[in-house]
Amino acid sequence: MKIYTRTGDKGQTSLFSGERVNKDNPFIDALGTIDEGNSALGLALSFLPKESELNKTRKAHLNKTREQLEIIQHALFDVGAALATPRSCDESQKLQKTRFGHEATDLLEKWIDEMDGQLPPLKNFILPGGHPVGAALHLSRSIIRRAERLVIPLYSKAEVTQDVLVYLNRLSDYLFVTSRFVNHCLSIPETEWQPHKMEVDSHLQED
């Protein structure tokens, strides 16, 4: 089977419901953004250090992180399937096949609590960055936030279940905590936000 089908050459594609829509349709926009966030997760995974470079404790922590991120990548495909099957679809079999429940969110919350208990308290805003893994997780977090914003209008029209919306919201929280956790495991210090730093630096340069 060829990778190209030519069926989308006029700017249209199909939802799982069978409906043909333009590629700038709100559902496709949300789907594409989730795919973008998933790709950023793949980037983060590619940056994880090799096991041979880690001590026993770091290896255990980061192997667990790898497993979690891979589970999330699969879950994002499930989210995409749910989005590709609007609730107004009249085929109950397809709706049931692409059902997305609260279990995935429960798992995220469990992981967040486990990591949060091992991190120093957050007293200030921090800048995205750190180790390449942490930076890529921040990138994924901001993309998932955008996906959430795109899904809200679809949820308002009852085309997407609340479980999908809640998952995206919780996932961005998870990615923030995981970026901190990875940087902490690898002994990369966090950079705290310094308000009006540009003005302070300008005064220093003048002096």
Side-chain angles (χ1 to χ4, degrees):
M1 181 177 177
K2 292 183 178 180
I3 189 66
Y4 58 89
T5 61
R6 298 192 177 97
T7 57
D9 288 353
K10 293 184 178 180
Q12 287 195 326
T13 189
S14 295
L15 296 173
F16 184 63
S17 61
E19 181 184 0
R20 294 288 292 177
V21 296
N22 290 335
K23 290 183 179 181
D24 60 355
N25 179 279
F27 284 97
I28 304 304
D29 200 6
L31 279 166
T33 305
I34 286 170
D35 182 39
E36 191 180 340
N38 206 345
S39 296
L41 284 182
L43 181 65
L45 281 164
S46 74
F47 285 141
L48 279 170
K50 297 177 181 178
E51 291 191 4
S52 59
E53 300 172 355
L54 302 169
N55 63 32
K56 186 176 181 180
T57 302
R58 288 179 175 177
K59 185 188 299 184
H61 285 320
L62 294 183
N63 278 343
K64 185 177 290 188
T65 298
R66 183 190 299 277
E67 292 171 5
Q68 292 176 3
L69 294 179
E70 289 177 349
I71 289 171
I72 290 168
Q73 284 194 301
H74 286 281
L76 285 176
F77 267 79
D78 294 334
V79 169
L83 281 171
T85 317
R87 306 311 293 170
S88 57
C89 172
D90 59 3
E91 294 191 43
S92 59
Q93 186 175 0
K94 286 187 176 180
L95 287 171
Q96 183 58 33
K97 186 175 181 179
T98 59
R99 184 193 73 84
F100 190 87
H102 63 83
E103 298 84 3
T105 299
D106 294 342
L107 195 55
L108 287 180
E109 291 177 349
K110 174 178 177 291
W111 293 340
I112 289 171
D113 291 342
E114 288 174 352
M115 288 186 291
D116 215 22
Q118 302 177 60
L119 290 171
L122 190 61
K123 298 179 180 179
N124 297 288
F125 289 107
I126 58 172
L127 303 184
H131 189 276
V133 180
L137 289 171
H138 272 295
L139 176 62
S140 181
R141 171 189 58 78
S142 62
I143 294 170
I144 293 300
R145 280 293 188 200
R146 174 154 46 91
E148 180 188 7
R149 295 194 295 272
L150 292 171
V151 167
I152 288 173
L154 304 177
Y155 169 70
S156 298
K157 294 178 182 178
E159 291 286 19
V160 178
T161 65
Q162 187 175 9
D163 286 326
V164 168
L165 188 61
V166 171
Y167 181 78
L168 293 174
N169 185 29
R170 203 70 75 254
L171 177 56
S172 59
D173 295 332
Y174 166 87
L175 293 172
F176 176 77
V177 174
T178 307
S179 66
R180 292 193 68 214
F181 184 71
V182 168
N183 285 332
H184 178 69
C185 285
L186 297 174
S187 301
I188 306 294
E190 295 177 327
T191 303
E192 294 183 353
W193 170 49
Q194 298 179 33
H196 311 296
K197 178 174 172 56
M198 185 173 64
E199 296 175 16
V200 173
D201 286 353
S202 296
H203 289 313
L204 289 174
Q205 291 173 9
E206 290 173 4
D207 293 342

